[in-house]
């Protein structure tokens, strides 16, 4: 084990730090298949080539860096480089920077690496641009159909097909990739913790047990545009009212169920200060500890939306844009990870990850690194230098356990 790991972490982290950083917000705007994403992908390729790893882009636009010849039983680590709008620095990139450094550590050890090892950058994990999360891993595993992916459209009307084509991906090749899945013996994703559980127990690193089921629904309310100064309240068909009531319903019902409901994105048409809106679209992100609770909650919030719309002369339609079942990570793999780390805290999370998508197809595990602020999807994400290094060391120990036999 080298002792200058903190400095090497700093160097590698700095090489990525300014890409997509907004001077205005202090957050990152790293959206899939944009010029910024292209810079990130070039960075990944350079890191792979500078280490003599074999660099490949798979059929779905995910980037891979292999140590050894890709083959059955490969040990894969990595995460994503894209971000939510004004996201924090660590969500995603920490898993990839740590992966490159952990592979460096692995190669510096005396024990021979006996299995292929790969680092992956999954494309479009956050779904910030096209609305569906984990597109790269969903396509790889066949969870998302290629025709559905191609038709996804961003806020400017650009389809995913157009965006991927202009980034040089052969759109005809999208789809489940069985040969590549067959090369993944285990996938271990290191990620910044998106809560304060590790801080509470004073531990730098933890292991995931599972991910709550979750989904995204579009609530569309259609009324009638009219003048704010001349239309009597009684004559209005204002979609903002049932939308507001639906936000409150989601909050109170999720509080009662111990779930997490969020309306974080709204589109108002025509979005004028002196006009009654003709349409309000709100996106509900809902997460619960089990699938029954999630289904019951969505139905109840939908019923509330429909009835609030009817009361206000507005129509409401609810469309599920994506849903992800509960994830329980592979117990045998989790036990080996725990053994390699000498026992660390185990925690579940409400946040979705590529590891969650992969877990239905290959053994998958996650390591979390302590986030002092507990805040994520915001520039306030925070990690101590010592914890970042502890994360790399933990990942290297796990890779050694899995790939050196
Ligand atoms: Zn992430």
């Amino acid at each position: 084990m080298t002792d200058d790991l903190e400095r090497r972490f700093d160097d590698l982290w700095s090489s990525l730090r300014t890409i997509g950083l907004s001077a205005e917000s202090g957050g990152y705007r790293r959206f899939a298949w944009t010029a910024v994403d292209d810079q990130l992908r070039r960075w990944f390729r350079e890191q792979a080539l500078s280490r003599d790893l074999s660099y490949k882009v798979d059929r779905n636009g995910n980037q891979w860096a292999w140590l050894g010849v890709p083959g059955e039983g490969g040990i894969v680590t990595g995460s994503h480089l894209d971000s939510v709008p004004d996201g924090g620095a660590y969500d995603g990139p920490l898993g990839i920077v740590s992966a490159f450094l952990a592979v460096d550590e692995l190669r510096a050890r005396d024990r021979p690496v006996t299995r292929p090892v790969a680092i992956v950058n999954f494309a479009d994990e956050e779904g910030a641009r096209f609305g569906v999360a984990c597109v790269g891993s969903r396509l790889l595993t066949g969870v998302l159909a290629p025709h559905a992916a191609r038709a996804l459209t961003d806020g400017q009307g650009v389809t995913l097909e157009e965006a991927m084509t202009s980034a040089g991906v052969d759109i005809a090749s999208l789809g489940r990739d069985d040969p590549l899945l067959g090369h993944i013996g285990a996938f271990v994703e290191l990620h910044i913790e998106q809560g304060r559980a590790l801080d509470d127990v004073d531990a730098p690193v933890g292991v995931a047990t599972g991910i709550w089921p979750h989904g995204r629904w579009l609530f569309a309310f259609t009324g009638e545009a009219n003048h704010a100064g001349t239309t009597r309240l009684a004559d209005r068909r204002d979609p903002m009212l049932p939308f507001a009531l639906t936000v409150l319903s989601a909050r109170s019902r999720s509080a009662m169920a111990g779930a997490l409901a969020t309306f974080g994105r709204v589109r108002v048409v025509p979005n004028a200060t002196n006009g009654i809106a003709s349409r309000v679209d709100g996106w509900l992100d809902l997460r619960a500890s089990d699938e029954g609770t999630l289904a019951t909650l969505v139905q109840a919030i939908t019923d509330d939306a429909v009835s609030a719309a009817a009361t206000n002369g507005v129509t409401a339609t609810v469309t599920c844009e994506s849903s992800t079942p509960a994830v329980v990570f592979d117990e045998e793999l989790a036990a080996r990870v725990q053994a390699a780390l000498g026992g660390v805290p185990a925690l579940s999370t409400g946040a979705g990850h590529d590891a969650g998508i992969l877990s239905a197809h290959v053994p998958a595990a996650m390591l979390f690194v302590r986030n002092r602020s507990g805040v994520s999807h915001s520039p306030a994400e925070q990690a101590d230098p010592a914890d970042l290094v502890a994360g790399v060391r933990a990942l290297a120990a796990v890779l050694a356990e899995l790939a050196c036999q």
Side-chain angles (χ1 to χ4, degrees):
M1 190 74 65
T2 46
D3 53 9
D4 62 344
L5 188 52
E6 190 168 327
R7 182 187 56 75
R8 284 184 297 115
F9 187 99
D10 252 12
D11 287 348
L12 192 51
W13 192 250
S14 304
S15 65
L16 193 58
R17 204 188 66 82
T18 56
I19 305 174
L21 179 62
S22 160
E24 188 190 339
S25 67
Y28 286 91
R29 297 173 184 172
R30 293 168 166 171
F31 309 136
W33 309 115
T34 57
V36 166
D37 194 33
D38 185 51
Q39 283 186 65
L40 295 163
R41 292 170 66 84
R42 273 192 236 178
W43 174 92
F44 183 95
R45 183 173 177 275
E46 276 164 26
Q47 293 307 321
L49 298 181
S50 71
R51 287 172 169 77
D52 279 328
L53 301 172
S54 72
Y55 171 75
K56 290 186 174 12
V57 178
D58 71 18
R59 286 174 40 191
N60 297 294
N62 306 304
Q63 295 178 293
W64 297 76
W66 286 90
L67 172 66
V69 180
E72 212 174 303
I75 304 304
V76 181
T77 183
S79 190
H80 60 96
L81 290 174
D82 67 324
S83 78
V84 295
D86 292 326
Y90 298 104
D91 179 352
L94 181 60
I96 292 183
V97 166
S98 300
F100 278 116
L101 294 170
V103 167
D104 293 346
E105 294 298 304
L106 192 66
R107 290 166 115 177
R109 288 175 181 224
D110 296 335
R111 286 169 71 187
V113 181
T114 54
R115 283 169 180 253
V117 173
I119 299 166
V120 61
N121 169 30
F122 280 114
D124 198 2
E125 194 273 349
E126 297 286 7
R129 182 173 175 197
F130 294 98
V132 173
C134 301
V135 170
S137 55
R138 283 182 204 263
L139 280 169
L140 165 66
T141 53
V143 172
L144 176 63
H147 69 271
R150 287 191 199 107
L152 292 171
T153 307
D154 73 5
Q156 267 66 52
V158 178
T159 62
L160 183 62
E161 171 161 4
E162 291 163 340
M164 287 181 82
T165 302
S166 54
V169 179
D170 175 13
I171 204 81
S173 71
L174 296 191
R176 183 178 161 103
D177 191 338
D178 283 311
L180 181 52
L181 284 170
H183 291 167
I184 309 175
F187 176 58
V188 181
E189 179 172 2
L190 177 145
H191 205 279
I192 188 77
E193 193 200 352
Q194 296 171 295
R196 256 195 307 264
L198 290 174
D199 202 35
D200 286 348
V201 296
D202 196 24
V205 174
V207 175
T209 52
I211 302 177
W212 283 13
H214 54 277
R216 298 175 178 190
W217 289 263
L218 167 60
F219 283 65
F221 299 91
T222 308
E224 184 180 55
N226 215 327
H227 196 294
T230 59
T231 317
R232 294 189 312 157
L233 294 179
D235 295 338
R236 295 181 181 204
R237 293 173 52 215
D238 184 351
M240 193 63 80
L241 298 175
F243 171 65
L245 290 164
T246 303
V247 174
L248 298 175
S249 143
R251 169 67 186 226
S252 63
R253 287 189 181 277
S254 65
M256 282 188 289
L260 297 167
T262 308
F263 276 97
R265 178 180 164 205
V266 185
R267 176 170 60 200
V268 180
V269 180
N271 208 23
T273 306
N274 60 353
I276 297 158
S278 62
R279 178 172 169 137
V280 176
D281 291 339
W283 281 264
L284 171 68
D285 175 306
L286 188 60
R287 299 153 198 255
S289 58
D290 64 89
E291 282 161 26
T293 305
L294 190 73
T296 307
L297 260 177
V298 171
Q299 192 54 55
I301 298 167
T302 300
D303 291 347
D304 288 347
V306 168
S307 111
T311 310
N312 288 281
V314 169
T315 57
T317 57
V318 179
T319 314
C320 179
E321 291 197 335
S322 73
S323 80
T324 307
V327 169
V328 180
F329 285 116
D330 189 88
E331 284 180 22
E332 196 184 318
L333 179 60
R336 289 186 71 187
V337 168
Q338 283 285 10
L341 301 181
V344 294
L347 41 143
S348 69
T349 174
H353 298 284
D354 292 310
I357 303 294
L358 260 74
S359 70
H361 307 270
V362 298
M366 288 193 78
L367 299 182
F368 290 121
V369 172
R370 172 164 52 188
N371 174 357
R372 287 286 187 189
S373 70
V375 175
S376 187
H377 285 186
S378 145
E381 255 177 19
Q382 202 187 348
D384 291 351
D387 290 354
L388 299 172
V389 168
V392 174
R393 293 212 159 103
L395 185 58
V398 169
L399 295 181
E401 159 69 22
L402 299 176
C404 306
Q405 286 154 354

